[in-house]
Amino acid sequence: QVQLVESGGGLVHSGGSLRLSCAASASIAKMDAPGWYRQAPGKQRELVAAITSDGSANYVDSVKGRFTVSIDNRKRTAYLQMNSLKPEDTAVYYCNARILRDPFDRFVEVWGQGTLVTVSS
């Protein structure tokens, strides 16, 4: 079964930047409506940023102006550029998207395993 694989997490100082990537574990025809979620210790998973099927980008208030979500349709990869990182951004970040495994299939929603982002003060 095709899954999403996140990469790019790590440890960064406050004010630093990271770029997360999200790609399928096998060849797919299309990725649609990618979303990035995060879950901090002891907290519920929250939606951080997402691109809707019509191409609009939406962000939670706490990351507006700092994070940018994008998708490269040719590479079938989604990204989350995170700038001006704060300690409160520390969490496991998960990618979610609808993927089309082949042109004659239907879209299925899949999740990644998550990548840890730690921001030190």
Side-chain angles (χ1 to χ4, degrees):
Q1 184 173 349
V2 177
Q3 293 186 330
L4 298 176
V5 179
E6 302 96 337
S7 60
L11 173 64
V12 64
H13 291 298
S14 181
S17 297
L18 285 173
R19 188 176 81 153
L20 305 183
S21 299
C22 171
S25 58
S27 177
I28 60 172
K30 188 176 182 181
M31 177 186 289
D32 186 46
W36 289 93
Y37 294 71
R38 67 185 179 188
Q39 187 165 19
K43 294 188 177 181
Q44 290 188 334
R45 188 175 298 190
E46 66 169 347
L47 177 61
V48 176
I51 296 178
T52 63
S53 295
D54 66 3
S56 301
N58 298 299
Y59 302 90
V60 67
D61 286 346
S62 59
V63 307
K64 285 181 180 177
R66 300 188 298 121
F67 289 12
T68 303
V69 59
S70 62
I71 182 169
D72 185 326
N73 288 308
R74 185 178 61 84
K75 295 182 179 179
R76 301 173 184 84
T77 299
Y79 302 95
L80 184 67
Q81 177 66 44
M82 305 185 295
N83 299 327
S84 303
L85 282 161
K86 305 175 181 179
E88 51 264 43
D89 294 319
T90 295
V92 177
Y93 284 72
Y94 299 89
C95 178
N96 167 274
R98 299 169 67 241
I99 62 169
L100 191 64
R101 285 170 288 190
D102 66 65
F104 303 102
D105 207 340
R106 60 181 176 87
F107 278 101
V108 292
E109 182 178 356
V110 292
W111 286 86
Q113 296 296 315
T115 185
L116 177 63
V117 171
T118 304
V119 185
S120 63
S121 57

